[in-house]
Amino acid sequence: MKMKIPFPDFIRRLARDKRGVTAIVTALVAPSLCGIGALCVDFAYIAKTERALQSSTDAAAMAGAANIANGTAASVATQYSASAGNLNAMSDVTVTMANGYPQLKCLTSTGVPCTGSTPANAIAVKQTAVVPTFFARVIGIDTVTITATSTAGEQGGGALPADVMFVLDSTASMNTTDTNCSVSGATRMTCALTGIQTVLKTLKPSTSYAGLMVFPGLTSATQTQYDTDCATANPTIASYKNSPVYQVVPLSNDFRTSDTATTLNPTSNIAKAAQEPGCAHGVAAVGGVGTFYADAIKAAQTALANSGRSTNQKIIVLLSDGDASATTANMPTGEATSQCHEAITAAQAAKTAGMWVYSIAYGASTSSTGSCSTDTSPHISACATMQQIASDPGKFYSDTSGSSSGACASTATSVSELVQIFTSIASSLSTPRLLLDTTS
């Protein structure tokens, strides 16, 4: 005989029986867990791809920023992008440069002059990637589109490892007072040497070297001591035709005792030549044989090529009024005519060799008949000469004091006081840096 169990009792007994509950719950939850896990795989892959895309975008912007001055920023940025065939190409992902990018910018808040054929001091790169999914396809999501944007400024990063050769006009006119100089009562020479000090205080001696040349040159290397001993005796000057010694101080890195030192090393020859505080007499403006600097530029290029480090950017900083017009009696054979154009040719050779040439027009005339008198076919002014000597417009500076109404002015750099010009040059000797995309 079968016993009947009341239905309510059966329910109660079933509720108390926990056997198999885990299996039931697992069966119910497993699909959801698997789905979430699958989506997590997709999200992780997308996040990884997004980081890689941002890294490549940053690299492209930095590479482009480093080439703004030479006019190749956009093409170099594209070369470093993540699209197929480029240096940071990404596999399994379709990457394209966004329409309108790379985008050159002239930002006003960074204080950096805008240079290049398209005046700019920064570049923005924006890339788009189409990322395929693995599991999200079951819910109709086959791909996810992500973007990355990066803006890099031409300057403002770490100090650029550099070998810098200053080429300084030491003609007698440098003894006159510069009323525009921020150093009260300074002669033009003292103002220029103060400017050189500002650069030496910026360069890192652990990675950078600096040297000094003057024109007119000296009769022999033994005469250089008179520009570096802080005494009042002047060196003996040689005419340009008598194989002068232009180099006062060779490339050296003792201008500061360490990267963190805030003052110049008083035992350094280049610091003493630059009239560092404590040295009352630095480079002397002796003059007497006119102005001619093409050979000094050549000597600077040779010194940088022979003594510079292969890892360093080689740089010439030339300061002069630009009026090269030494008399034939003081000139080497074949160099007496077209002296200003000869200097331009020398500077262009240095640029071709990969060097940067900064030129500072210090009281340069804008008259093509009243300056550069040996350049008659064609005529050229001292101002135009100094403009063409610079490697690019951003490396040309002028104090604007020597021409009527300040007409000898740089279109790319508005700084016009000499010490501030050197400060601007020192600032430019830095690597590119990433900026906020909202920087204006």
Side-chain angles (χ1 to χ4, degrees):
M1 177 174 143
K2 295 182 180 178
M3 183 181 294
K4 291 185 177 182
I5 300 175
F7 185 75
D9 290 341
F10 170 76
I11 296 300
R12 284 193 294 273
R13 289 174 61 186
L14 183 61
R16 288 195 298 269
D17 189 353
K18 304 297 184 183
R19 292 174 297 178
V21 170
T22 301
I24 295 172
V25 172
T26 300
L28 293 173
V29 174
S32 297
L33 291 175
C34 290
I36 293 172
L39 290 176
C40 285
V41 171
D42 279 334
F43 289 146
Y45 179 64
I46 293 169
K48 177 183 177 182
T49 304
E50 191 169 28
R51 288 193 298 272
L53 183 67
Q54 186 64 59
S55 295
S56 72
T57 306
D58 291 344
M62 290 286 281
N67 288 275
I68 288 175
N70 62 28
T72 63
S75 60
V76 171
T78 301
Q79 183 183 2
Y80 279 81
S81 71
S83 56
N86 290 317
L87 294 175
N88 288 303
M90 298 170 62
S91 60
D92 302 325
V93 176
T94 302
V95 179
T96 56
M97 189 70 70
N99 187 38
Y101 291 84
Q103 185 180 98
L104 290 169
K105 294 187 173 185
C106 184
L107 305 177
T108 58
S109 63
T110 62
V112 177
C114 294
T115 62
S117 54
T118 301
N121 57 13
I123 187 171
V125 176
K126 184 176 183 179
Q127 297 187 102
T128 299
V130 179
V131 185
T133 61
F134 301 103
F135 300 102
R137 299 185 180 192
V138 298
I139 57 174
I141 303 175
D142 294 336
T143 60
V144 173
T145 300
I146 58 176
T147 61
T149 305
S150 184
T151 302
E154 184 179 16
Q155 302 168 13
L160 178 75
D163 292 330
V164 183
M165 185 61 74
F166 297 99
V167 181
L168 182 61
D169 189 330
S170 62
T171 56
S173 63
M174 292 291 285
N175 288 317
T176 60
T177 301
D178 182 356
T179 57
N180 295 323
C181 183
S182 58
V183 180
S184 179
T187 65
R188 290 159 62 85
M189 177 58 78
T190 298
C191 197
L193 295 178
T194 302
I196 291 175
Q197 289 179 35
T198 66
V199 179
L200 296 178
K201 290 177 181 178
T202 302
L203 296 174
K204 287 187 175 182
S206 64
T207 58
S208 296
Y209 292 71
L212 175 64
M213 293 194 176
V214 297
F215 61 92
L218 314 182
T219 55
S220 68
T222 60
Q223 293 295 308
T224 62
Q225 62 181 307
Y226 299 110
D227 277 336
T228 60
D229 62 4
C230 298
T232 56
N234 291 334
T236 304
I237 300 301
S239 75
Y240 297 106
K241 69 178 180 181
N242 290 334
S243 302
V245 174
Y246 292 107
Q247 183 169 271
V248 173
V249 183
L251 290 171
S252 59
N253 67 339
D254 64 351
F255 44 86
R256 292 205 316 280
T257 56
S258 69
D259 288 350
T260 57
T262 58
T263 58
L264 298 181
N265 176 10
T267 66
S268 164
N269 278 341
I270 191 168
K272 289 188 288 185
Q275 206 173 350
E276 62 89 20
C279 180
H281 187 81
V283 171
V286 180
V289 293
T291 300
F292 174 66
Y293 47 89
D295 285 354
I297 295 173
K298 295 174 186 177
Q301 179 182 351
T302 299
L304 288 167
N306 293 343
S307 303
R309 275 128 289 276
S310 60
T311 56
N312 285 15
Q313 175 61 53
K314 297 174 178 61
I315 297 168
I316 297 172
V317 180
L318 170 70
L319 179 145
S320 177
D321 65 5
D323 189 8
S325 53
T327 62
T328 302
N330 287 313
M331 290 296 294
T333 302
E335 294 187 83
T337 59
S338 300
Q339 294 176 30
C340 287
H341 280 97
E342 288 170 8
I344 294 171
T345 300
Q348 290 174 340
K351 177 183 177 181
T352 300
M355 299 180 186
W356 294 353
V357 182
Y358 289 82
S359 71
I360 304 172
Y362 196 16
S365 171
T366 57
S367 172
S368 61
T369 55
S371 60
C372 292
S373 59
T374 68
D375 292 73
T376 58
S377 182
H379 287 291
I380 191 171
S381 70
C383 177
T385 298
M386 295 300 286
Q387 286 176 323
Q388 293 181 44
I389 281 172
S391 297
D392 60 69
K395 293 181 177 61
F396 170 65
Y397 292 82
S398 174
D399 76 324
T400 71
S401 65
S403 55
S404 59
S405 304
C408 184
S410 171
T411 58
T413 55
S414 60
V415 182
S416 61
E417 189 275 324
L418 191 60
V419 177
Q420 288 301 312
I421 285 174
F422 278 99
T423 301
S424 179
I425 291 174
S427 176
S428 74
L429 302 183
S430 59
T431 57
R433 63 171 175 147
L434 293 175
L435 302 170
L436 294 174
D437 294 328
T438 56
T439 303
S440 59

